[in-house]
Amino acid sequence: MIPDTSSTATSSTTTSTTASPTTATAPAPLPVTEVARLGAEVLNRVESVVVGMREPLHIALATVLAGGHVLFEDVPGLGKTLAARSIASAVGLDFRRLQCTPDLLPSDITGSFVYVPSTAEFEFRPGPVFTGLFLADEINRTSPKTQSALLEAMAEGQVSVEGRSFPLPRPFHVVATANPIESEGTYALPEAQLDRFMVRLGVGYPDADGETQVLLARVARRHEVATVEPVTDAATLLAMQAGVESVDVDPDIAAYCVRLAAATRRHRSVEVGASPRGSQGLLLVARALAVLAGRDFVIPDDVKRVAVPVLAHRLTLTVQAWTSGVSAAQVVLEVVSSVPGPPAVGTREREAAD
């Protein structure tokens, strides 16, 4: 098991201001079949301890393979933290967990310079964000100022402290959890922060059989903490991500993603629709899902499958829609049902026929 760390704990006491990412050279991409095999094994390992979350776990893993960040938003006690920890363990990433609180400071995430009497100099002490997978637990319990400390890390893979930039390890991913049912003592994530998460996933309650399995698994292991053995390591995960990046996408599929995002901007219930980052997220996660399925091509159903997780949190609804109880997920489902899909025969097939 990889232990939790507090906001002041780090894996090392100092780091150079010229530190470089863990993996500097680009790895050779793995074949699609190998990525699919390893992905299936990762999911099987995670599902051995996380019950009733097959679809969210599948999309979360696809998001990691696509190089993105994940937001789990649902009520407490459904296993969101366990899911994040298990994914990190299965893919072999270093894992740090930070419990977000209202008094948390940005430096508690990024790290800070401290004075060292023995050298009479200031040295940088890295924060918990310097890891492979960083879990910001209950991110909506900390202030917007502290939430924004993750923006640069999520977008550029680095943090800036005292005017100096420090690269983060590669791969680097953020998984955050949020509780949507409480408002007291919480700070809603601003739109710019939400947009940095490639997907937002709900977990949902397990069915009766699944919940029974959770209870029996706890009794069987005789202790509280569930562990997952690693399937890959950081270098292999980078090679898997390179394998996903090597897969081309038919222009018709790309155009379909654009039409879906554009349709959200014209919807009557939407004040601000999905940006081009949303259409790009559709394409990237759909491609990763295709690779996990053992395909080197994307089909429209891949895009439809991730439309709600990728687009819903990027929409700002009108006041009338919000007061009427319309949800962003409903809007996205309506858009998916109304926007025609690409032709059954793709561009490459049509060119071959000609």
Side-chain angles (χ1 to χ4, degrees):
M1 184 192 76
I2 304 173
D4 288 349
T5 58
S6 68
S7 60
T8 58
T10 59
S11 59
S12 62
T13 56
T14 63
T15 187
S16 168
T17 57
T18 59
S20 59
T22 301
T23 306
T25 58
L30 289 179
V32 169
T33 54
E34 182 65 7
V35 176
R37 184 189 69 81
L38 291 173
E41 191 171 348
V42 167
L43 286 173
N44 289 336
R45 294 274 180 96
V46 174
E47 284 193 298
S48 67
V49 298
V50 182
V51 178
M53 290 174 57
R54 178 73 181 186
E55 183 66 6
L57 290 175
H58 205 125
I59 295 178
L61 177 59
T63 302
V64 170
L65 292 178
H69 310 288
V70 180
L71 174 63
F72 282 110
E73 187 176 88
D74 218 317
V75 298
L78 296 182
K80 303 184 293 296
T81 301
L82 177 61
R85 180 193 297 278
S86 300
I87 290 174
S89 298
V91 298
L93 293 181
D94 291 334
F95 176 78
R96 297 289 182 85
R97 173 180 178 266
L98 182 66
Q99 182 64 50
C100 295
T101 56
D103 60 348
L104 204 66
L105 298 175
S107 59
D108 293 326
I109 294 177
T110 62
S112 60
F113 283 91
V114 297
Y115 182 73
V116 181
S118 61
T119 62
E121 294 180 349
F122 284 90
E123 292 184 354
F124 179 68
R125 302 290 176 90
V129 76
F130 285 83
T131 187
L133 192 147
F134 176 67
L135 172 61
D137 216 355
E138 294 188 294
I139 191 173
N140 58 329
R141 287 199 176 278
T142 194
S143 67
K145 180 179 181 179
T146 304
Q147 292 171 2
S148 65
L150 283 173
L151 280 174
E152 183 183 11
M154 295 169 69
E156 301 176 28
Q158 67 176 27
V159 296
S160 296
V161 181
E162 301 279 342
R164 299 185 184 182
S165 296
F166 301 91
L168 297 171
R170 293 187 58 237
F172 169 74
H173 298 279
V174 172
V175 175
T177 67
N179 179 359
I181 63 172
E182 293 182 341
S183 57
E184 186 174 353
T186 62
Y187 306 85
L189 287 171
E191 285 75 7
Q193 183 91 7
L194 279 174
D195 199 45
R196 297 296 181 183
F197 289 100
M198 191 170 281
V199 298
R200 181 178 64 181
L201 299 170
V203 176
Y205 290 102
D207 57 23
D209 291 339
E211 193 165 353
T212 302
Q213 187 178 344
V214 171
L215 271 59
L216 294 177
R218 170 61 183 85
V219 172
R221 64 177 179 263
R222 309 296 182 186
H223 55 82
E224 179 64 28
V225 179
T227 60
V228 174
E229 293 298 320
V231 175
T232 67
D233 55 20
T236 306
L237 178 60
L238 284 174
M240 293 173 68
Q241 292 174 337
V244 173
E245 289 290 348
S246 67
V247 174
D248 292 326
V249 176
D250 194 286
D252 285 338
I253 294 292
Y256 180 50
C257 294
V258 171
R259 289 198 300 271
L260 287 175
T264 65
R265 304 164 200 161
R266 300 189 299 266
H267 196 278
R268 63 187 179 280
S269 298
V270 177
E271 183 175 341
V272 180
S275 68
R277 188 180 285 131
S279 55
Q280 179 174 269
L282 276 177
L283 189 64
L284 295 179
V285 182
R287 182 176 61 176
L289 279 180
V291 173
L292 285 176
R295 289 184 272 107
D296 62 354
F297 58 92
V298 181
I299 60 176
D301 283 347
D302 294 326
V303 179
K304 295 176 181 178
R305 183 177 173 185
V306 300
V308 171
V310 171
L311 295 180
H313 65 289
R314 305 177 193 272
L315 307 184
T316 302
L317 302 183
T318 62
V319 174
Q320 293 83 355
W322 184 78
T323 56
S324 300
V326 176
S327 69
Q330 292 172 332
V331 171
V332 174
L333 290 174
E334 186 177 328
V335 165
V336 170
S337 64
S338 62
V339 174
V345 179
T347 301
R348 285 177 292 183
E349 288 80 0
R350 292 198 298 271
E351 290 176 350
D354 294 340

